[in-house]
Amino acid sequence: MLRAENICKKYFRDTEESNYFKAVEPVSFELKKGTLTAIMGRSGSGKSTLLSMLAGLLSPSEGRIYVNDTDIYSLSDRELSVFRNKNIGVVPQGYTGLFNLTCAENIMLPAGMHRENKVSEVHVRDRARELMEELGIYELRKIYPAQMSGGEMRRMAIARGIINDPGLILADEPTGDLDDENTALVFRLLRRMADGGAAVMVITHEASGREYADECIMMTAGECFFDM
């Protein structure tokens, strides 16, 4: 599903020792369909930078990233946007959402962004309802983000990230503001998405996240260490 070949990320920083530093050291790996991979490590270790590169949001300084055998950074901005909308579900860190749209409208937004990827409105509404019910936010469907808690917005973002049932799901701290019950609920959902054929990668500080993962990547100072 996804193949990263010797990717790294460098940033300019002029010091006596070097004129750059590596936020992510060179690494190669694959994310296979039907698997859930957890990324763990301290803040500042490069986890979000790595995820952003895999999602097509941040160009690697070196290396290539293939999703379904497509070199995503060989695409134009427009082509990459359409491709990502169809194939990659991204759950960003923090509170995200358009504050002039209701919870349900925010969730359904990706399904209507590109004409090339549109599916029937009935299917989108049914899928949105299913996800909201599963994540315990269906009663908030007509509520605007300003009236929602951080945890509710987090679950809204998760539903929005997978509304198109993408083959690749990349989630950055999706349970950061959730209690134990909702954390387990989210991980069970992501595990089911993986069991249904998606390749799922999750950045998490939750020790319980390892219970749902097929593989764990530990990151320290930009280096990846793989733990099956």
Side-chain angles (χ1 to χ4, degrees):
M1 181 65 201
L2 180 146
R3 186 171 77 256
E5 295 185 352
N6 202 38
I7 61 171
C8 74
K9 187 61 181 179
K10 301 176 183 178
Y11 288 102
F12 175 77
R13 183 172 66 185
D14 195 7
T15 67
E16 293 181 358
E17 297 180 354
S18 175
N19 62 357
Y20 68 88
F21 79 98
K22 290 181 180 177
V24 176
E25 295 283 348
V27 62
S28 299
F29 60 88
E30 292 185 3
L31 298 180
K32 298 180 180 179
K33 294 180 179 180
T35 63
L36 190 154
T37 301
I39 308 182
M40 306 185 78
R42 293 185 177 181
S43 296
S45 59
K47 304 184 301 298
S48 293
T49 300
L50 175 61
L51 201 78
S52 293
M53 289 192 290
L54 301 180
L57 299 171
L58 180 66
S59 299
S61 300
E62 298 174 8
R64 296 181 180 277
I65 297 170
Y66 296 89
V67 176
N68 291 334
D69 296 323
T70 296
D71 180 352
I72 63 174
Y73 287 104
S74 70
L75 303 175
S76 68
D77 287 345
R78 166 68 182 176
E79 290 170 336
L80 178 55
S81 179
V82 173
F83 183 87
R84 183 171 52 237
N85 178 255
K86 181 178 181 180
N87 297 282
I88 306 175
V90 181
V91 181
Q93 190 176 33
Y95 307 136
T96 59
L98 296 180
F99 277 67
N100 61 333
L101 298 181
T102 66
C103 176
E105 290 168 342
N106 265 286
I107 291 169
M108 294 187 291
L109 183 62
M113 288 184 63
H114 295 290
R115 181 182 60 190
E116 300 94 321
N117 297 337
K118 281 187 177 180
V119 296
S120 75
E121 184 175 342
V122 172
H123 172 79
V124 173
R125 289 187 178 277
D126 287 347
R127 182 58 173 147
R129 176 169 184 158
E130 177 183 332
L131 290 170
M132 285 187 287
E133 288 178 342
E134 188 160 6
L135 290 166
I137 55 173
Y138 181 68
E139 70 278 6
L140 304 176
R141 61 193 180 280
K142 297 181 181 180
I143 298 298
Y144 290 87
Q147 300 168 290
M148 298 168 66
S149 70
E152 290 165 347
M153 289 184 65
R154 186 82 69 174
R155 283 177 281 164
M156 179 185 75
I158 294 166
R160 186 182 64 228
I162 60 179
I163 185 68
N164 287 337
D165 292 316
L168 174 64
I169 299 169
L170 304 171
D172 192 347
E173 294 286 0
T175 62
D177 294 317
L178 304 183
D179 58 21
D180 290 345
E181 181 180 353
N182 283 309
T183 292
L185 184 152
V186 168
F187 272 110
R188 287 196 297 268
L189 171 59
L190 294 174
R191 181 68 256 180
R192 283 197 295 275
M193 294 294 292
D195 291 340
V200 181
M201 174 175 272
V202 184
I203 294 176
T204 182
H205 284 99
E206 303 285 350
S208 61
R210 299 188 68 148
E211 301 173 12
Y212 299 89
D214 301 289
E215 182 176 45
C216 183
I217 299 176
M218 300 297 299
M219 289 197 72
T220 302
E223 290 192 75
C224 295
F225 301 90
F226 295 82
D227 180 18
M228 299 297 290

